Amino acid sequence: MDLRGFIALCEKEGQLARIKAEVDWELEISHICKIAEEASGPALLFENVKGYSSPVLTGAFATTQRLAMILGKDPKLSLVELTKEWVNLSVKDVTLAKEVKDGPIFENIVDGDKVDTFAFPSPKFYELDGGRYFGTAVFMVIQDPENGKVNLGTYRMGILDDKTVGVQILKGKTADRIMQKYAKQGKKMPACAIIGGDPLHIFASAATVSGAKSGYDVVSSLRGEPVETVKTQLFGLPIPAAAEIVLEGEIDPTKLRNEGPFGEYTGYYTEELIKPIPKPALDVKRVYYRNNPILWETSVGRPVGDQHMLYAFARNASLWMDLEKMQIPGIKSVYTLPEGAGRFIVIVSVQQMYPGHSDQVAAAVIASNTGTYGVKMVIIVDDDIEADDLPRVWWALGTRFNPARGTQIINRGRSTPLDPAIAEDENKFLTSRIIMDATIPYDWKIKPTEIKLTDSIMAKVKARWNEYGINV
């Protein structure tokens, strides 16, 4: 599976629309795809972008069905069911990526003065954005200078000029720690911005496969066959042989440039709208691309769009695996709400086994590697309610949640500086959190008696449903 294979699969399953009318990269593409996403429409392939001969793909992640297709799973699965399948895949034996000598990514090579970051139809998404964005569905590969480990990570990348793209590497993230190692050695950090290849690469950081040496091994293990990589010609970094576009260059840790503002996944502009925030920048030395390269973008902006589905799924899988590793018993399902920007709100369903069990689960969520970053609300429900069954979650909050007993406020926790709920005069890396325990206490001797439908009658009704003539 590469990006072209995924597009072909979407078209076969009626999940793709080819837009042949001319569209403008400036605002028009983003507005079309946002309307389509909010209507749960198909992925869009813009084949006639004004001033360009190559296409733009949007909406790849916008529905659970297409997420399932990327994973090779049943499109009828819910997000929680799909996450459980992913968690099961992630405990498989490791399959190592395979290095090959050549690949389609080397069909075209540009370097030196001919490098032009504007050569691809990068959109400007929203009116107040600081410019055009090459990377919203992009991942970057770098290598730790001390242990040689290869890191894959996703970062937004705005075009700064014809030879440079900004890279939003936030403080404390893995890429930042690796970059500081280069800074300590007085060196620039080689890096590649990659679009295309197997769509699973965007999910690589959400899964852990024992024995995997890089995200490429993770993708290989999840896919069940080796990802083919080639080494770049300048710095020898591994890139997918079937990638669409690769920008190879260096990041100077000592030279930061202003980037943004940008209409982010929260539905709000980043703080660069108020004050400039210098960011690392990739000085592009060489560009590799396939014939008729496909520029893959996500629309970002207010929820729910394809990036929120991606964040929700990736963080859902990562959090569920964190809880499994912590050996917390009784976890039935985990759900990170796409409507909460795919990050801020988490619901966990648990089968309680002892007093304080629900409290332990809530504490484990915010202590986990995934939950400690950005989560602001944790809701715990009993195991008779699936975490993604929102009407019943609200029912539990209305009938089982006692605010005085079930509420905990944590005043300080790690946050993302992209959270618009944190004021400009506050520490943008810290947030408060609320835990809402909507379970029936395990230690109650007398518990509320729930109204339940009779199984035998339900079976009879389902068997005769077509006779009733009710179209639901």
Side-chain angles (χ1 to χ4, degrees), residues 117-133:
T117 58
F118 292 103
F120 308 101
S122 302
K124 181 177 180 180
F125 288 90
Y126 300 108
E127 187 174 354
L128 298 182
D129 285 356
R132 300 170 66 176
Y133 272 79

Side-chain angles (χ1 to χ4, degrees), residues 241-401:
E244 294 291 327
I245 306 167
V246 175
L247 310 182
E248 183 180 18
E250 295 176 302
I251 294 175
D252 187 338
T254 67
K255 293 184 179 180
L256 307 181
R257 294 182 58 176
N258 294 336
E259 183 264 1
F262 185 58
E264 270 285 0
Y265 68 91
T266 60
Y268 295 87
Y269 275 93
T270 51
E271 57 186 326
E272 294 96 342
L273 192 62
I274 301 170
K275 60 180 180 180
I277 300 178
K279 307 280 179 60
L282 177 65
D283 182 13
V284 182
K285 304 294 186 183
R286 184 165 290 183
V287 180
Y288 312 95
Y289 61 96
R290 296 178 68 165
N291 294 333
N292 196 33
I294 299 167
L295 181 66
W296 181 12
E297 298 278 350
T298 67
S299 67
V300 293
R302 70 187 181 212
V304 172
D306 67 338
Q307 196 167 69
H308 306 101
M309 295 299 295
L310 165 63
Y311 284 168
F313 175 78
R315 292 180 62 81
N316 218 42
S318 180
L319 176 57
W320 204 330
M321 284 186 284
D322 285 346
L323 297 175
E324 293 269 345
K325 291 175 186 175
M326 296 166 81
Q327 298 184 335
I328 307 296
I331 303 295
K332 183 178 181 183
S333 56
V334 177
Y335 187 53
T336 304
L337 270 71
E339 295 83 357
R343 178 183 295 276
F344 299 117
I345 304 172
V346 171
I347 303 170
V348 182
S349 171
V350 59
Q351 180 184 2
Q352 296 186 81
M353 301 177 182
Y354 41 80
H357 192 173
S358 59
D359 295 305
Q360 180 192 15
V361 171
V365 168
I366 60 175
S368 66
N369 286 332
T370 304
T372 195
Y373 185 69
V375 171
K376 295 192 293 185
M377 179 183 293
V378 180
I379 301 171
I380 310 296
V381 295
D382 286 302
D383 64 312
D384 63 322
I385 299 173
E386 287 284 4
D388 63 343
D389 190 347
L390 296 186
R392 292 190 183 276
V393 170
W394 308 146
W395 172 57
L397 283 168
T399 61
R400 302 179 185 181
F401 173 62

Side-chain angles (χ1 to χ4, degrees), residues 437-455:
D437 188 343
T439 63
I440 297 171
Y442 178 86
D443 49 327
W444 277 11
K445 293 182 179 179
I446 301 176
K447 299 181 180 181
T449 302
E450 181 184 340
I451 299 170
K452 294 184 178 181
L453 297 173
T454 304
D455 290 342

Side-chain angles (χ1 to χ4, degrees), residues 201-219:
H201 285 112
I202 302 294
F203 299 95
S205 62
T208 301
V209 176
S210 179
K213 297 179 180 179
S214 73
Y216 294 127
D217 292 346
V218 171
V219 173

Side-chain angles (χ1 to χ4, degrees), residues 170-181:
L170 299 177
K171 291 181 180 179
K173 304 294 278 185
T174 301
D176 178 56
R177 296 196 295 270
I178 292 175
M179 186 173 67
Q180 296 313 316
K181 293 181 181 181

